[in-house]
Amino acid sequence: FDLANSFSMESLAFATASSLITGINHSMMYQVAGKLLLAMEGIITMEISHPDMKAILIELDIEASLSTIKALLEDLKPILPKCGSTIKVCFENLNNTMISIQTLLDNVETKCNDHKKSWWSYAYTNPDVTKEVKQIQNLKKIMDHRIDLLTKSATIELQLMNVNQNQNIVDKVEEEQKQDK
């Protein structure tokens, strides 16, 4: 068992896997990250009129989660061009969750506006949004899970980059040693 050979084989496997998944061009990665930022901003700036929906958004601390994702995106910006498709998939999944939350909140606002125009508003101050509240709670769980996947994926990407950098250093030293002989 040769430790150097084992490290070299492991590095080769990581490098090969990394090169296979880096088929995404840089602009596409920035485009996906940009769409995610836009979706988050839409949710953060949205005016919610229904008191139950306001309460659940505060209880679930949605705004803090969104600002954390935004900060993570900013932290990942320098490495985005070097990342593989894993990070892109994580961003797309988070974006899909954000769009689902945005759509649900838009539907609640439409429901509230329609309610105000109907005769039901004389009997009930606000429409029933129990179903939507449950959906928001489920989407928040999904969003938290996807944030977790993103952070784990980013950690793995950084480790892969580190292994590749270390292998490049080893290769450079070996090449210099061959030239010196």
Side-chain angles (χ1 to χ4, degrees):
F1 179 76
D2 183 12
L3 184 60
N5 191 30
S6 175
F7 176 73
S8 179
M9 292 300 285
E10 183 180 13
S11 297
L12 181 61
F14 279 136
T16 303
S18 181
S19 67
L20 288 174
I21 61 175
T22 56
I24 304 168
N25 64 27
H26 307 327
S27 64
M28 189 174 198
M29 185 64 79
Y30 285 121
Q31 185 179 28
V32 170
K35 284 196 299 190
L36 180 57
L37 281 172
L38 285 173
M40 285 188 304
E41 289 301 321
I43 295 170
I44 290 171
T45 60
M46 188 170 188
E47 288 292 322
I48 308 296
S49 62
H50 198 288
D52 294 345
M53 195 55 70
K54 279 182 184 179
I56 198 66
L57 292 175
I58 291 168
E59 180 185 318
L60 294 174
D61 208 10
I62 296 274
E63 194 169 329
S65 295
L66 296 177
S67 60
T68 301
I69 295 168
K70 189 174 181 179
L72 183 59
L73 266 174
E74 290 298 320
D75 289 345
L76 291 174
K77 248 185 204 176
I79 68 162
L80 284 179
K82 301 172 192 161
C83 288
S85 61
T86 308
I87 299 293
K88 177 185 174 274
V89 169
C90 289
F91 282 157
E92 286 176 344
N93 288 333
L94 264 173
N95 188 51
N96 291 340
T97 305
M98 300 295 166
I99 290 170
S100 296
I101 291 171
Q102 179 76 51
T103 302
L104 187 60
L105 293 174
D106 287 341
N107 291 343
V108 167
E109 284 307 300
T110 301
K111 195 175 194 179
C112 287
N113 289 334
D114 291 347
H115 179 79
K116 286 178 191 172
K117 296 173 189 173
S118 77
W119 64 270
W120 282 102
S121 64
Y122 296 108
Y124 302 100
T125 312
N126 293 300
D128 181 28
V129 292
T130 307
K131 183 179 95 177
E132 290 85 351
V133 166
K134 288 192 184 318
Q135 288 174 323
I136 285 284
Q137 290 170 324
N138 287 334
L139 286 169
K140 174 66 164 83
K141 288 177 189 173
I142 292 168
M143 184 175 69
D144 288 346
H145 176 69
R146 289 178 176 180
I147 291 169
D148 187 47
L149 286 174
L150 175 60
T151 55
K152 288 176 181 176
S153 297
T155 301
I156 291 168
E157 284 282 346
L158 289 170
Q159 289 172 349
L160 283 172
M161 285 181 203
N162 211 6
V163 167
N164 286 336
Q165 284 176 338
N166 289 341
Q167 186 59 46
N168 289 341
I169 291 169
V170 169
D171 292 345
K172 189 175 181 179
V173 168
E174 287 175 355
E175 186 64 34
E176 288 174 359
Q177 287 174 346
K178 286 180 184 176
Q179 289 176 357
D180 289 343
K181 288 183 182 179

